[in-house]
Amino acid sequence: MAKTESPPEKTTVNIRMTESFLADVDTTWEEQGFNSRSEFIRAVLRDALKHPEFNRADLKAMLTSEAEIREGRTHSSDEVKAEYGLDGTARDDE
């Protein structure tokens, strides 16, 4: 009978963050269907290690874009084309 391997030993790591950032983290992991905050943070760190080409500025830009989408502060390409008369129709101010 083959010997079963035990899971790797885990170590607890403490991090400090603001209460508002922690609230954002908690909202995000729950919305994305993770089972726990720790599971979510491990997944985010794994992604950061696998995709080091994203730097802090890139990640901040993506987060800002996501917030703008959720808050309805973005426009579709069709809306932008219509606004600037690029869709073949006259603009509202013409």
Side-chain angles (χ1 to χ4, degrees):
M1 180 175 216
K3 196 169 36 170
T4 59
E5 292 184 27
S6 59
E9 185 177 325
K10 294 183 181 177
T11 300
T12 299
V13 176
N14 294 313
I15 60 173
R16 295 174 56 97
M17 63 183 71
T18 64
E19 289 290 327
S20 61
F21 183 62
L22 181 59
D24 290 342
V25 168
D26 287 340
T27 299
T28 303
W29 74 259
E30 290 168 350
E31 286 177 351
Q32 292 187 8
F34 285 87
N35 293 319
S36 68
R37 181 190 292 159
S38 292
E39 181 184 323
F40 170 71
I41 291 171
R42 280 191 300 272
V44 169
L45 290 172
R46 223 177 276 115
D47 283 348
L49 290 173
K50 287 181 182 178
H51 305 287
E53 64 274 10
F54 289 117
N55 63 31
R56 185 172 176 82
D58 293 335
L59 294 172
K60 286 175 77 174
M62 286 188 285
L63 288 171
T64 299
S65 296
E66 182 64 25
E68 289 175 348
I69 290 167
R70 288 181 184 198
E71 294 169 8
R73 294 186 289 154
T74 59
H75 304 283
S76 71
S77 61
D78 290 338
E79 291 170 326
V80 172
K81 287 176 185 176
E83 172 72 21
Y84 291 98
L86 302 174
D87 63 348
T89 62
R91 291 175 41 186
D92 292 338
D93 59 349
E94 292 179 352

